[in-house]
Amino acid sequence: MTGTTAEQLAPPPVTRVTPRAPAPPHLPLRGREEELARARQALEFGAEGGCALVTVEGPPGSGRTRFLDECAALARRLGYVTGPRSGHGGPAGHPRLIVLDDPHLPPEGPGGTLPPRRHAPCDDRALVRLVARRRGAGPGVTDPLAFCPTGHTERIRLDALRAPAALQVAADLLGVPPSAPLAGVLRSAGGHPKLLVELVEGMREEQLLRVGAQEAQLVEDRIPRRLRMLLQSMLLDFPDEYRQLLRVAAVLGRESTVDDLLPILQVPPSALLLLLDRMISTGMLAVGSTRVRFPNELLWRLLVDSVPVPLRQALRRQAADCRQLPRPAIRPAAAGPPDLNGQENRIVQLVAEGLTNKQMARRLGISPHTVNYHLKKLFQKTGVNSRIALLRETGWNDPSEESPEPGSRVRPRPGVFEGGGQL
């Protein structure tokens, strides 16, 4: 018989488990009534024997997967057979719904292409494809069918929720409506579904709100840890240069200028243009006529909070120092050669050849008076008062083709007038 120690006979230590709040029931989808109506049109088209594609686009956290689930439930109520692949079994004659969330799969149609036919595209059944993609994700395998002239197509964009719908989502999560002060804090999520849900759950976990019988009250206005963790996860999806842009721009303010960002990021304007394009496509930044702006207040606060205080101060000092530096004078860009018609082009060509008014008149078969009239009109159009200036303004006085010797004649560029085209 094996010996047993007292430690082995002792009961296991009791681990204190904090009771978790019960999982909320399946909550209704708020603020997507118009989008669901469009998806229903495509599903009803498929239920009648058609072929349809519904593309759902939105930035991360916009609720694409939740929207797909709601559409799939609606499809089942309409008699659809649902499954990830077209070969999935099911009652014959029933329309099929294929759901792809952020797909990275090859097309399923014969020959590697999606079926563009209007009726019975697969297994003698109508087929509807429901595809969710990130906004700005570039072309995908569904794009050929998205623009196919046959069948039914819908491209649905999931934008931020309007304020009433966002507050209704919060009321669904809390079980009671939020009070006015709490509603003001929740509006800082800007209608972003994921941020809104995480904000409500984080405030409840850290007891930053109190749920009463009639409404939920604000206890303390601060960013819960849960949201900081969410931001870290979101930023990991971006390369280093994109994270740097977001955090630097946030520290400089909810709005900043391109002139402030360029010297700190140390990138040329062309590189900043690409960075901004990506961030605009995700909805994290917006660009106005003169400023770069964070449309979502809560996201901006989270980004500022993610930068240590000493670095915030250093970045703001750097921006202030850059504003004090003298900027190099920028020469206005040349307006470019004016648009000339065919007759004006021929006149300028003859001027470039050094012909007089009479010689030009004989060459063109018109009178010297008419040549003089055209020259005056050309002078007015180009804002000059001499033939040399006319050649320069119309792009004929090419320094690379001029001889440094005095008295050289300006020569036309070879091939410019081939086909009678304009300068």
Side-chain angles (χ1 to χ4, degrees), residues 60-81:
S62 59
R64 298 188 311 271
T65 301
R66 174 74 173 85
F67 185 81
L68 293 185
D69 291 343
E70 197 73 18
C71 292
L74 173 60
R76 286 189 288 270
R77 292 195 294 271
L78 292 174
Y80 274 78
V81 175

Side-chain angles (χ1 to χ4, degrees), residues 352-353 391 396-398 400-403 408-414:
E353 293 179 14
L391 295 175
W396 282 78
N397 193 8
D398 190 349
S400 64
E401 296 187 354
E402 289 182 358
S403 168
S408 62
R409 192 178 70 176
V410 178
R411 296 181 289 111
R413 298 175 183 174

Side-chain angles (χ1 to χ4, degrees), residues 343-351 360 364 374-375 378:
Q343 184 75 310
E344 290 171 338
N345 269 322
R346 289 189 287 272
I347 294 284
V348 174
Q349 180 183 14
L350 296 178
V351 170
M360 286 190 282
L364 297 173
H374 282 304
L375 281 173
L378 281 168

Side-chain angles (χ1 to χ4, degrees), residues 19 73 89 102 165 227 272 305 310 323 326-327:
D102 232 352
L227 274 180
L272 181 59
D305 186 68
R323 294 188 195 108
R327 296 180 183 176

Side-chain angles (χ1 to χ4, degrees), residues 72-119:
L74 173 60
R76 286 189 288 270
R77 292 195 294 271
L78 292 174
Y80 274 78
V81 175
T82 61
R85 294 282 178 178
S86 57
H88 182 76
H94 283 245
R96 169 161 304 285
L97 176 70
I98 296 179
V99 181
L100 298 174
D101 193 353
D102 232 352
H104 298 285
L105 301 173
E108 299 173 13
T113 58
L114 290 168
R117 291 178 291 165
R118 185 178 179 87
H119 294 289

Side-chain angles (χ1 to χ4, degrees), residues 19 63 110 141 189 241 297 300 329 416:
V141 298
E241 57 270 25
E297 179 189 354
W300 167 64
V416 170

